[in-house]
Amino acid sequence: MKRYSMIHGLLAAALAVNLALPVTATGTSSFTDVNDSNTALNADILRLMGVVSGTGGNQFNPNQVLTRAQFCTMAVNFMGLGDQVVLHSTRTIFTDVTSKHWARGYVNLAASTMIGGDAGTSADGETPVAGTPLISGVGDGRFLPDDQISYAQAVTILIRVLAYSSDKVGAVWPDGYLNLAQSIGLTKGLSLQPGSSLTRAQAAQLLVNALKCKTGDGKLYYTTLGETKADTVLLAVNVATDTGDAMGAVRTSNGTYLPHIEDAAPTALQGLRGSLVLNDNQEIITFIPDDSDSVTITLSGDAQPGYVKAGNQQYTISGDTPVYTPDAPEGKSYLECYTSLYSGTQITLFTQRGKVVAIYATSSSTSASSDAVVVMDRATVATFHQLTGGATSFNIIKNRQKISLSDIKPYDVVTYDSLSNTLVVSDLRMTCYYQDAQPTVATPKTINVLGNEFTVLESAWNTTKDFNLGSTVTLLLTADGKVAGMAKPSAQTRSTAIGMVNDGKAVIFLPNGGTMELEGTVSNASAEGQLVIFSAGKSSFTTSSAAENRAPGPFNVDKMTLGEYTVMAGVRIFEKVSSSGVVPIDLSDLSGSIEAKNIAGYHRNSSGMVDYIILNDVTGNAYEYGMMVGKDISTDPVYDENGELISEGSTRTQWSLVRGLGGTIEFSPVAGYNGRSGDIVGVVTYKNREDKDMIRTIVQLEKFTGVTAKDFFESQGDLYVSVNGQNYRVADNAECYGGMAGNRTDPGSWFRQPKLTDRVNAIKAFSSKLTVYIDPTGKQVRVITAG
């Protein structure tokens, strides 16, 4: 298939079947009037082929009925014969298709194209000279081009396109054609009477079905169009070519290519897996989504080394599973990139025989734009016209939650991710002391606040010029922490920078799931380990509580509601495990409904949606579980310059928490522990100023001995153990230790298989008698040991 000539392009522009496709949202319709996802997919598949292109207005008109001339035109383009149309535009075959009719060339070409399994060919081996014509008239020299095409007529044309000989369809029309069409899958998804008219949406379904049908000689039709690359994930549309000299390319997991039809932007196909079809020039002819199973999920917790969770459903992921994103030409292994898949991220899992074979993750959880808009009034589509380049059918996310335009509030910062056609909204603001602006105060590219260098976008310069060094300002920040503007501190622009303090270091949580770190003294010592809102002075922080204390109702994890409030997909969950601090936990660790009395606090963003929740110690997941191992550290006596003894030498025990999966945590010697080596415990830690681990809280676990392999069982995808008539769930990250019968503290005796079932099976095979340790809060098995 070749690029169409200019003359063909002019003819095609006049056709009512041709449709314009601007860049729009990932996986969504390219047309303002298409709400059906299946129709959107079909339209973009045909758009790549040049079967449909554009009449302007961004309208598909899916319910408009097609004429015989219009469907004939689609069939010619479907076969890739459009560049021959001009050769058939100067003669008359049908008396009612004269030189004044727009489709004359298409109708004449279709009538002259002889196809079928019994057709002969010319000397060049390509041009049909015998067989059945693609279309024929009504028997009196007319074609009736402007009459509506019937379902049976359209099916008949496509059976001929697929090169089925007359002996395959029989002598009775249309029954023979319709029966054959049903048997090969041509009419899949359609249920029409032979004489029924055909809408554009129905015609698109027929044509896409035909691509996947076998031809008369047993080949899948799309494989006859060019080189086929199977198992391809379509990553992004309208991107630069590899050489950077052209836009409009399509990035796939098998390379980046230009479509053979100019200005094609198959956005509805983005994120799908299937077969890419290329011509001899390595241009895309079309893309056929395959029939492999796929599921699109929103992560209900940060991705873990061996699995991801969506609600109560857990999906096992192998470490070498390729992960593709719109902004990268090559995939990475899951183990390389799982740490960037935060709670609230949307991913598509492609599976074969129950195994995840590839993952597609959108980039919309990040702020990919170098420009931003600070909303000062009610947001409308026009507010973002320059930012989006005129795209209107964009997605909008805030804290990785899809929202509407009305949820965008004054002083929200909006950036644009063009690869996924997503507006990324941030209400992150931080009041601070304006200092260290480089290279100039009026037009800074960076500013430094308490050790963190902020990138300043050019769009912020119209506000930075209003402030002098030494001023107290509110930074209006993007979802990834860039400065999009400055404002005078006020009730409307008060700081929303939420994070935690650990010994002079402030970790601020970013809306895109990341963090940024600042350093300085904290005016309020009670803020240590708490969830707080920061304001930054010249060298210190001031803090205020980030949480409202009285929950409006239960936290329904499945419905993502807290009382009457919506809980955002990117919500951060914490547990209050002691009076001295809170600890982050995964949303995926929760299920069902958590009573209001067990909710210590919550926070709502500027749109009134819950973005932070603090629970009381209800799950036990805030602890790290393992074995305490101590070693004695001796210090020498200290003498002054005269040889007088200042202090005697001493021996102290330095403790470590040893684990198989999480590695070893070595505590500072000042962290006391009165137990003994080999104890199985749970600890909550924090970092001191020297970045050493300190114990904040420690708990002993309940111990049950004499457990055997038959006591373990699975239920609804989870592993349980029955002990003394009670059933306890085995935590997904439960540790298994096989050294208890010998060396109690041998760090090499831990089982390290990523999957829980593999670890448990290994320790069951290692020892016939086991001991399980259950945490006192969540009542889950945290450690299993041999013996």
Side-chain angles (χ1 to χ4, degrees), residues 423-661:
L423 294 180
V424 183
V425 183
S426 168
D427 65 353
L428 179 60
R429 302 188 289 270
M430 188 175 73
T431 303
C432 69
Y433 185 83
Y434 187 26
Q435 59 186 340
D436 197 12
Q438 299 293 334
T440 68
V441 176
T443 58
K445 291 185 177 179
T446 63
I447 61 174
N448 194 293
V449 178
L450 297 181
N452 184 75
E453 186 175 83
F454 288 86
T455 298
V456 182
L457 302 179
E458 290 186 13
S459 56
W461 290 352
N462 65 336
T463 58
T464 55
K465 62 182 176 59
D466 298 329
F467 297 93
N468 299 317
L469 290 182
S471 302
T472 299
V473 300
T474 296
L475 303 182
L476 309 176
L477 301 170
T478 64
D480 54 354
K482 298 183 179 72
V483 178
M486 290 184 184
K488 293 181 179 180
S490 68
Q492 273 194 302
T493 62
R494 64 182 182 274
S495 185
T496 61
I498 296 178
M500 296 179 66
V501 180
N502 277 324
D503 286 302
K505 292 183 180 180
V507 177
I508 295 175
F509 303 124
L510 299 177
N512 72 345
T515 60
M516 66 179 177
E517 190 173 281
L518 289 78
E519 294 187 2
T521 58
V522 183
S523 60
N524 183 4
S526 64
E528 184 79 19
Q530 305 297 328
L531 193 67
V532 295
I533 299 175
F534 290 99
S535 294
K538 190 172 183 179
S539 60
S540 63
F541 305 109
T542 58
T543 63
S544 59
S545 176
E548 299 181 42
N549 293 326
R550 193 177 186 85
F555 175 25
N556 189 312
V557 179
D558 297 329
K559 295 181 179 179
M560 290 294 282
T561 57
L562 180 65
E564 61 185 7
Y565 300 137
T566 296
V567 176
M568 307 202 84
V571 64
R572 291 182 184 266
I573 309 291
F574 299 83
E575 275 195 320
K576 194 170 185 176
V577 296
S578 69
S579 59
S580 57
V582 298
V583 178
I585 64 169
D586 242 333
L587 176 63
S588 60
D589 293 333
L590 308 176
S591 61
S593 182
I594 298 172
E595 297 181 42
K597 67 180 182 180
N598 289 324
I599 299 171
Y602 70 99
H603 178 271
R604 290 190 295 156
N605 67 10
S606 60
S607 297
M609 300 180 185
V610 178
D611 52 1
Y612 293 87
I613 296 176
I614 302 174
L615 305 177
N616 293 313
D617 189 8
V618 296
T619 70
N621 293 330
Y623 296 82
E624 297 174 274
Y625 298 94
M627 179 188 296
M628 291 295 282
V629 176
K631 65 178 179 179
D632 291 336
I633 298 177
S634 299
T635 59
D636 296 328
V638 178
Y639 300 90
D640 65 13
E641 59 186 8
N642 298 318
E644 296 292 332
L645 181 66
I646 296 175
S647 63
E648 296 182 355
S650 63
T651 300
R652 293 181 295 175
T653 302
Q654 178 169 318
W655 293 97
S656 300
L657 184 75
V658 181
R659 301 169 295 173
L661 298 178

Side-chain angles (χ1 to χ4, degrees), residues 20-42:
L21 281 154
V23 179
T24 58
T26 303
T28 60
S29 174
S30 298
F31 304 98
T32 57
D33 60 344
V34 175
N35 297 317
D36 177 65
S37 59
N38 189 61
T39 300
L41 292 178
N42 292 338

